[in-house]
Amino acid sequence: MNKVVLMGRLTRDPDVRYSQGENSTAVARFTLAVDRRFARRDGNDQQTADFIGCVAFGRTAEFVERYFRQGMRMTMSGRIQTGSYTNRDGQKVYTTDVVAEEVEFAESKNSSGGGDNSGFRQTAAPMPSAAADGFMNIPDGIDEELPFN
């Protein structure tokens, strides 16, 4: 099974191009900086990042182009795809990309530090605060709206 799940920040704005031909398809290329933790021998945890090249096609590419900008946190799932080509110098170059099949926001518009996400609106109501016992308080008069008795 070839399945990849990543969460990271865009290192720059997605680069979107359209294929040539009668039925042009959007192709978005972007790089995610994905945090990596590892333990050092002296016991101190040090955090660094892997920079993973990603590509999205079609509607997913158009979604990425419209809503995502540099620095925004993204969650995506997809598959690893390898390939090769011969460059201008005649050398064979091997490539590895993650092909994005599903892309989601990993943070709200406000917490991403701005960015123009026109068209993306948070529709979820704020969560009620938890009581001291760890359970949320249910407001009075909402009994009729609950799906169970």
Side-chain angles (χ1 to χ4, degrees), residues 41-87:
R41 291 183 185 179
D42 60 8
N44 293 331
D45 283 346
Q46 185 175 356
Q47 192 165 359
T48 186
D50 291 309
F51 297 89
I52 301 174
C54 304
V55 63
F57 298 97
R59 300 186 110 205
T60 305
E62 292 169 355
F63 179 77
V64 169
E65 176 184 31
R66 183 169 182 186
Y67 295 111
F68 287 93
R69 298 288 173 259
Q70 177 180 352
M72 292 180 68
R73 188 178 294 247
M74 171 192 289
T75 301
M76 61 165 281
S77 64
R79 59 186 165 80
I80 293 178
Q81 180 171 294
T82 60
S84 65
Y85 64 93
T86 304
N87 67 11

Side-chain angles (χ1 to χ4, degrees), residues 95-132:
T95 62
T96 302
D97 289 312
V98 175
V99 177
E101 295 169 349
E102 296 178 28
V103 175
E104 298 177 11
F105 296 96
E107 65 187 356
S108 69
K109 178 180 177 181
N110 294 335
S111 67
S112 67
D116 179 22
N117 293 347
S118 56
F120 171 69
R121 295 189 178 126
Q122 289 181 287
T123 56
M127 293 295 292
S129 60

